[in-house]
Amino acid sequence: MLSLFGSRLQEEPEFISELRAVETEDRLRKNLTGMLEDAGLEICDTNTPTEFAAAATVAIMKLVLNTAGRRFESLSFENRFVTGLFGFIVAHNLSRRTNADLGIVLGIAGLDLFSREEIDQVYKLGSSYRRLRQHRQMHLALGEIVEEFLSHPDAEELQNLATLYRMCLQPEA
């Protein structure tokens, strides 16, 4: 593999990548446990990085909803969609950190957030997420807040994430 400047980059052995992913999962699980327990949530036991990333995405989005004083079931269609987009950003970041399969993470997390009757929304979210990524500045700003939370999950970062989430929601009628 060549770097930007033409020098050879050595690829990391797969077992090192797997060790990094496990360490990231352990650290995230440990750092999020207290906040999740306070909200009556947990990240269930998982067997693979993909399962962890999906379970953590759903738990984090429920934590954000809880912190923002919202319930997914009572959100308007538009605000459920916004929640799904936030979930995609969280899933993307978690998948990158844990070497998880992003497509599967998005599918599992989408199914956990949305009802079976709303499964078509997951596909619409995917295309909306691609469009959001085309608005680079906005995508980077949202991603940066998620990155800060996942890097240092504490009450202050959670509040920052929940505040940004609330700002993106349409006022409920």
Side-chain angles (χ1 to χ4, degrees):
M1 177 188 292
L2 292 178
S3 74
L4 180 63
F5 301 107
S7 63
R8 291 243 175 243
L9 291 178
Q10 213 169 11
E11 283 193 40
E12 189 173 74
E14 186 175 337
F15 77 94
I16 298 292
S17 296
E18 289 177 15
L19 287 174
R20 287 184 202 278
V22 167
E23 186 277 329
T24 298
E25 178 181 333
D26 289 345
R27 185 177 40 76
L28 281 168
R29 201 179 274 280
K30 178 181 162 248
N31 291 338
L32 290 170
T33 297
M35 283 187 283
L36 290 170
E37 284 177 352
D38 290 346
L41 300 167
E42 69 176 341
I43 299 172
C44 60
D45 288 335
T46 56
N47 295 316
T48 68
T50 300
E51 289 173 358
F52 169 77
T57 296
V58 172
I60 289 168
M61 287 313 302
K62 288 180 178 179
L63 181 61
V64 169
L65 281 158
N66 188 316
T67 304
R70 304 296 173 105
R71 288 187 37 239
F72 188 77
E73 300 78 28
S74 63
L75 293 175
S76 67
F77 170 79
E78 292 82 7
N79 287 339
R80 288 168 75 114
F81 206 77
V82 168
T83 304
L85 284 175
F86 265 77
F88 268 49
I89 294 169
V90 170
H92 186 251
N93 195 300
L94 284 169
S95 294
R96 183 179 44 79
R97 289 169 176 258
T98 61
N99 297 327
D101 184 319
L102 178 61
I104 295 173
V105 170
L106 293 174
I108 293 169
L111 286 172
D112 278 354
L113 285 172
F114 291 89
S115 67
R116 298 256 183 238
E117 295 77 36
E118 298 173 307
I119 192 64
D120 61 318
Q121 296 309 311
V122 176
Y123 297 111
K124 290 179 185 175
L125 278 169
S127 57
S128 293
Y129 181 66
R130 281 190 296 280
R131 285 195 306 272
L132 174 63
R133 290 191 66 185
Q134 291 172 354
H135 298 280
R136 187 154 174 76
Q137 292 301 101
M138 183 180 294
H139 183 264
L140 287 174
L142 294 170
E144 189 175 307
I145 297 290
V146 169
E147 176 79 27
E148 280 299 312
F149 173 72
L150 293 175
S151 295
H152 309 287
D154 60 23
E156 181 181 347
E157 293 301 335
L158 176 58
Q159 195 58 48
N160 289 343
L161 184 56
T163 299
L164 177 63
Y165 168 74
R166 264 192 308 271
M167 287 174 30
C168 292
L169 294 176
Q170 290 187 347
E172 295 287 343

